[in-house]
PDB file of all heavy atoms in Angstrom:
ATOM      1  N   GLU O  17      13.251   1.509  -3.613  1.00 89.00           N
ATOM      2  CA  GLU O  17      11.810   1.205  -3.461  1.00 89.00           C
ATOM      3  C   GLU O  17      11.484  -0.301  -3.447  1.00 89.00           C
ATOM      4  O   GLU O  17      10.487  -0.708  -2.875  1.00 89.00           O
ATOM      5  CB  GLU O  17      10.996   1.899  -4.517  1.00 89.00           C
ATOM      6  CG  GLU O  17      11.360   1.511  -5.899  1.00 89.00           C
ATOM      7  CD  GLU O  17      10.269   1.795  -6.881  1.00 89.00           C
ATOM      8  OE1 GLU O  17       9.606   2.857  -6.694  1.00 89.00           O
ATOM      9  OE2 GLU O  17      10.055   1.035  -7.857  1.00 89.00           O
ATOM     10  N   ARG O  18      12.352  -1.126  -4.037  1.00 91.00           N
ATOM     11  CA  ARG O  18      12.144  -2.578  -4.004  1.00 91.00           C
ATOM     12  C   ARG O  18      12.241  -3.111  -2.600  1.00 91.00           C
ATOM     13  O   ARG O  18      11.644  -4.159  -2.314  1.00 91.00           O
ATOM     14  CB  ARG O  18      13.107  -3.325  -4.947  1.00 91.00           C
ATOM     15  CG  ARG O  18      12.793  -2.952  -6.350  1.00 91.00           C
ATOM     16  CD  ARG O  18      13.348  -4.015  -7.369  1.00 91.00           C
ATOM     17  NE  ARG O  18      12.981  -3.592  -8.667  1.00 91.00           N
ATOM     18  CZ  ARG O  18      11.806  -3.911  -9.250  1.00 91.00           C
ATOM     19  NH1 ARG O  18      10.930  -4.636  -8.617  1.00 91.00           N
ATOM     20  NH2 ARG O  18      11.486  -3.452 -10.500  1.00 91.00           N
ATOM     21  N   ILE O  20      10.877  -1.807  -0.125  1.00 94.00           N
ATOM     22  CA  ILE O  20       9.562  -1.681   0.563  1.00 94.00           C
ATOM     23  C   ILE O  20       8.840  -3.009   0.581  1.00 94.00           C
ATOM     24  O   ILE O  20       8.299  -3.498   1.506  1.00 94.00           O
ATOM     25  CB  ILE O  20       8.705  -0.567  -0.088  1.00 94.00           C
ATOM     26  CG1 ILE O  20       9.446   0.739  -0.043  1.00 94.00           C
ATOM     27  CG2 ILE O  20       7.354  -0.457   0.592  1.00 94.00           C
ATOM     28  CD1 ILE O  20       8.770   1.877  -0.914  1.00 94.00           C
ATOM     29  N   ARG O  53       8.532   3.258   3.555  1.00 93.00           N
ATOM     30  CA  ARG O  53       8.572   4.178   2.425  1.00 93.00           C
ATOM     31  C   ARG O  53       9.129   5.540   2.834  1.00 93.00           C
ATOM     32  O   ARG O  53       9.923   6.195   2.141  1.00 93.00           O
ATOM     33  CB  ARG O  53       7.200   4.303   1.788  1.00 93.00           C
ATOM     34  CG  ARG O  53       7.193   5.332   0.668  1.00 93.00           C
ATOM     35  CD  ARG O  53       5.870   5.441  -0.081  1.00 93.00           C
ATOM     36  NE  ARG O  53       5.652   4.330  -1.000  1.00 93.00           N
ATOM     37  CZ  ARG O  53       4.811   3.349  -0.713  1.00 93.00           C
ATOM     38  NH1 ARG O  53       4.059   3.336   0.352  1.00 93.00           N
ATOM     39  NH2 ARG O  53       4.644   2.342  -1.554  1.00 93.00           N
ATOM     40  N   MET O  57      12.198   7.294   1.061  1.00 88.00           N
ATOM     41  CA  MET O  57      11.927   8.517   0.263  1.00 88.00           C
ATOM     42  C   MET O  57      12.450   9.783   0.927  1.00 88.00           C
ATOM     43  O   MET O  57      12.971  10.693   0.272  1.00 88.00           O
ATOM     44  CB  MET O  57      10.469   8.669  -0.024  1.00 88.00           C
ATOM     45  CG  MET O  57       9.820   7.555  -0.797  1.00 88.00           C
ATOM     46  SD  MET O  57      10.678   7.237  -2.377  1.00 88.00           S
ATOM     47  CE  MET O  57       9.882   5.746  -2.901  1.00 88.00           C
TER      48      MET O  57
ATOM     49  N   HIS W   5       3.348  -4.351 -17.960  1.00 57.00           N
ATOM     50  CA  HIS W   5       4.322  -4.285 -16.904  1.00 57.00           C
ATOM     51  C   HIS W   5       4.372  -5.661 -16.236  1.00 57.00           C
ATOM     52  O   HIS W   5       3.457  -6.438 -16.380  1.00 57.00           O
ATOM     53  CB  HIS W   5       3.974  -3.290 -15.830  1.00 57.00           C
ATOM     54  CG  HIS W   5       4.399  -1.918 -16.204  1.00 57.00           C
ATOM     55  ND1 HIS W   5       5.735  -1.449 -16.007  1.00 57.00           N
ATOM     56  CD2 HIS W   5       3.799  -0.875 -16.748  1.00 57.00           C
ATOM     57  CE1 HIS W   5       5.833  -0.205 -16.404  1.00 57.00           C
ATOM     58  NE2 HIS W   5       4.686   0.153 -16.860  1.00 57.00           N
ATOM     59  N   ALA W   7       4.048  -5.801 -13.440  1.00 77.00           N
ATOM     60  CA  ALA W   7       3.136  -5.569 -12.292  1.00 77.00           C
ATOM     61  C   ALA W   7       1.658  -5.829 -12.531  1.00 77.00           C
ATOM     62  O   ALA W   7       0.923  -5.854 -11.603  1.00 77.00           O
ATOM     63  CB  ALA W   7       3.314  -4.142 -11.842  1.00 77.00           C
ATOM     64  N   ILE W  25       3.516  -4.913  -6.100  1.00 82.00           N
ATOM     65  CA  ILE W  25       3.800  -3.968  -7.091  1.00 82.00           C
ATOM     66  C   ILE W  25       4.669  -2.812  -6.536  1.00 82.00           C
ATOM     67  O   ILE W  25       4.494  -2.430  -5.428  1.00 82.00           O
ATOM     68  CB  ILE W  25       2.454  -3.395  -7.676  1.00 82.00           C
ATOM     69  CG1 ILE W  25       2.683  -2.529  -8.881  1.00 82.00           C
ATOM     70  CG2 ILE W  25       1.706  -2.584  -6.619  1.00 82.00           C
ATOM     71  CD1 ILE W  25       1.394  -2.294  -9.715  1.00 82.00           C
ATOM     72  N   THR W  26       5.679  -2.401  -7.330  1.00 85.00           N
ATOM     73  CA  THR W  26       6.542  -1.320  -6.767  1.00 85.00           C
ATOM     74  C   THR W  26       5.903   0.016  -7.136  1.00 85.00           C
ATOM     75  O   THR W  26       5.077   0.116  -8.031  1.00 85.00           O
ATOM     76  CB  THR W  26       7.962  -1.436  -7.368  1.00 85.00           C
ATOM     77  OG1 THR W  26       7.882  -1.097  -8.757  1.00 85.00           O
ATOM     78  CG2 THR W  26       8.552  -2.739  -7.157  1.00 85.00           C
ATOM     79  N   ASP W  27       6.422   1.025  -6.465  1.00 87.00           N
ATOM     80  CA  ASP W  27       5.950   2.416  -6.741  1.00 87.00           C
ATOM     81  C   ASP W  27       6.122   2.822  -8.174  1.00 87.00           C
ATOM     82  O   ASP W  27       5.284   3.373  -8.841  1.00 87.00           O
ATOM     83  CB  ASP W  27       6.698   3.434  -5.841  1.00 87.00           C
ATOM     84  CG  ASP W  27       6.435   3.202  -4.384  1.00 87.00           C
ATOM     85  OD1 ASP W  27       5.667   2.258  -4.044  1.00 87.00           O
ATOM     86  OD2 ASP W  27       6.916   3.940  -3.501  1.00 87.00           O
ATOM     87  N   THR W  28       7.345   2.477  -8.714  1.00 88.00           N
ATOM     88  CA  THR W  28       7.608   2.851 -10.079  1.00 88.00           C
ATOM     89  C   THR W  28       6.730   2.129 -11.038  1.00 88.00           C
ATOM     90  O   THR W  28       6.209   2.641 -12.036  1.00 88.00           O
ATOM     91  CB  THR W  28       9.089   2.508 -10.457  1.00 88.00           C
ATOM     92  OG1 THR W  28       9.910   3.177  -9.503  1.00 88.00           O
ATOM     93  CG2 THR W  28       9.502   2.934 -11.848  1.00 88.00           C
ATOM     94  N   ASP W  29       6.500   0.821 -10.765  1.00 89.00           N
ATOM     95  CA  ASP W  29       5.656   0.014 -11.654  1.00 89.00           C
ATOM     96  C   ASP W  29       4.184   0.619 -11.696  1.00 89.00           C
ATOM     97  O   ASP W  29       3.588   0.688 -12.741  1.00 89.00           O
ATOM     98  CB  ASP W  29       5.568  -1.412 -11.137  1.00 89.00           C
ATOM     99  CG  ASP W  29       6.790  -2.173 -11.527  1.00 89.00           C
ATOM    100  OD1 ASP W  29       7.555  -1.721 -12.428  1.00 89.00           O
ATOM    101  OD2 ASP W  29       7.021  -3.264 -10.957  1.00 89.00           O
ATOM    102  N   ILE W  30       3.690   0.979 -10.556  1.00 88.00           N
ATOM    103  CA  ILE W  30       2.262   1.425 -10.584  1.00 88.00           C
ATOM    104  C   ILE W  30       2.120   2.765 -11.170  1.00 88.00           C
ATOM    105  O   ILE W  30       1.118   3.078 -11.877  1.00 88.00           O
ATOM    106  CB  ILE W  30       1.633   1.302  -9.127  1.00 88.00           C
ATOM    107  CG1 ILE W  30       0.104   1.323  -9.278  1.00 88.00           C
ATOM    108  CG2 ILE W  30       2.120   2.415  -8.176  1.00 88.00           C
ATOM    109  CD1 ILE W  30      -0.663   0.851  -8.051  1.00 88.00           C
ATOM    110  N   ILE W  31       3.185   3.655 -11.017  1.00 89.00           N
ATOM    111  CA  ILE W  31       3.110   4.908 -11.726  1.00 89.00           C
ATOM    112  C   ILE W  31       3.240   4.707 -13.245  1.00 89.00           C
ATOM    113  O   ILE W  31       2.515   5.279 -14.054  1.00 89.00           O
ATOM    114  CB  ILE W  31       4.228   5.841 -11.203  1.00 89.00           C
ATOM    115  CG1 ILE W  31       3.930   6.286  -9.758  1.00 89.00           C
ATOM    116  CG2 ILE W  31       4.437   7.060 -12.094  1.00 89.00           C
ATOM    117  CD1 ILE W  31       5.021   7.003  -9.081  1.00 89.00           C
ATOM    118  N   GLY W  32       4.091   3.763 -13.617  1.00 90.00           N
ATOM    119  CA  GLY W  32       4.221   3.424 -15.064  1.00 90.00           C
ATOM    120  C   GLY W  32       2.906   2.922 -15.625  1.00 90.00           C
ATOM    121  O   GLY W  32       2.519   3.235 -16.680  1.00 90.00           O
ATOM    122  N   LEU W  33       2.278   2.038 -14.848  1.00 89.00           N
ATOM    123  CA  LEU W  33       0.985   1.508 -15.232  1.00 89.00           C
ATOM    124  C   LEU W  33      -0.051   2.604 -15.394  1.00 89.00           C
ATOM    125  O   LEU W  33      -0.832   2.611 -16.387  1.00 89.00           O
ATOM    126  CB  LEU W  33       0.519   0.528 -14.131  1.00 89.00           C
ATOM    127  CG  LEU W  33      -0.778  -0.280 -14.376  1.00 89.00           C
ATOM    128  CD1 LEU W  33      -0.606  -1.216 -15.543  1.00 89.00           C
ATOM    129  CD2 LEU W  33      -1.226  -0.966 -13.123  1.00 89.00           C
ATOM    130  N   GLN W  34      -0.070   3.521 -14.517  1.00 89.00           N
ATOM    131  CA  GLN W  34      -0.976   4.656 -14.615  1.00 89.00           C
ATOM    132  C   GLN W  34      -0.816   5.414 -15.948  1.00 89.00           C
ATOM    133  O   GLN W  34      -1.713   5.816 -16.587  1.00 89.00           O
ATOM    134  CB  GLN W  34      -0.788   5.590 -13.420  1.00 89.00           C
ATOM    135  CG  GLN W  34      -1.803   6.667 -13.274  1.00 89.00           C
ATOM    136  CD  GLN W  34      -1.484   7.620 -12.129  1.00 89.00           C
ATOM    137  OE1 GLN W  34      -0.302   8.076 -11.957  1.00 89.00           O
ATOM    138  NE2 GLN W  34      -2.482   7.939 -11.332  1.00 89.00           N
ATOM    139  N   GLU W  35       0.499   5.685 -16.298  1.00 90.00           N
ATOM    140  CA  GLU W  35       0.767   6.393 -17.541  1.00 90.00           C
ATOM    141  C   GLU W  35       0.318   5.638 -18.751  1.00 90.00           C
ATOM    142  O   GLU W  35      -0.308   6.123 -19.637  1.00 90.00           O
ATOM    143  CB  GLU W  35       2.231   6.735 -17.613  1.00 90.00           C
ATOM    144  CG  GLU W  35       2.669   7.870 -16.659  1.00 90.00           C
ATOM    145  CD  GLU W  35       4.194   8.057 -16.612  1.00 90.00           C
ATOM    146  OE1 GLU W  35       4.837   7.519 -17.515  1.00 90.00           O
ATOM    147  OE2 GLU W  35       4.660   8.775 -15.751  1.00 90.00           O
ATOM    148  N   PHE W  62       0.150   5.170  -0.521  1.00 90.00           N
ATOM    149  CA  PHE W  62       0.701   5.442  -1.813  1.00 90.00           C
ATOM    150  C   PHE W  62      -0.041   4.735  -2.905  1.00 90.00           C
ATOM    151  O   PHE W  62      -0.536   5.344  -3.810  1.00 90.00           O
ATOM    152  CB  PHE W  62       2.192   5.125  -1.860  1.00 90.00           C
ATOM    153  CG  PHE W  62       2.826   5.382  -3.197  1.00 90.00           C
ATOM    154  CD1 PHE W  62       3.264   6.702  -3.434  1.00 90.00           C
ATOM    155  CD2 PHE W  62       2.903   4.456  -4.160  1.00 90.00           C
ATOM    156  CE1 PHE W  62       3.814   6.970  -4.635  1.00 90.00           C
ATOM    157  CE2 PHE W  62       3.436   4.737  -5.390  1.00 90.00           C
ATOM    158  CZ  PHE W  62       3.929   6.012  -5.636  1.00 90.00           C
ATOM    159  N   ILE W  66      -2.721   6.178  -5.891  1.00 90.00           N
ATOM    160  CA  ILE W  66      -2.609   5.876  -7.321  1.00 90.00           C
ATOM    161  C   ILE W  66      -3.880   5.265  -7.898  1.00 90.00           C
ATOM    162  O   ILE W  66      -4.362   5.598  -8.967  1.00 90.00           O
ATOM    163  CB  ILE W  66      -1.380   5.006  -7.653  1.00 90.00           C
ATOM    164  CG1 ILE W  66      -0.092   5.709  -7.113  1.00 90.00           C
ATOM    165  CG2 ILE W  66      -1.305   4.722  -9.107  1.00 90.00           C
ATOM    166  CD1 ILE W  66       0.300   6.986  -7.867  1.00 90.00           C
TER     167      ILE W  66
END
Side-chain angles (χ1 to χ4, degrees):
Chain O
E17 61 159 35
R18 291 199 179 276
I20 301 172
R53 176 176 284 107
M57 300 303 171
Chain W
H5 274 279
I25 189 164
T26 66
D27 295 2
T28 303
D29 283 343
I30 198 163
I31 289 172
L33 184 67
Q34 190 184 44
E35 286 174 10
F62 181 84
I66 301 291

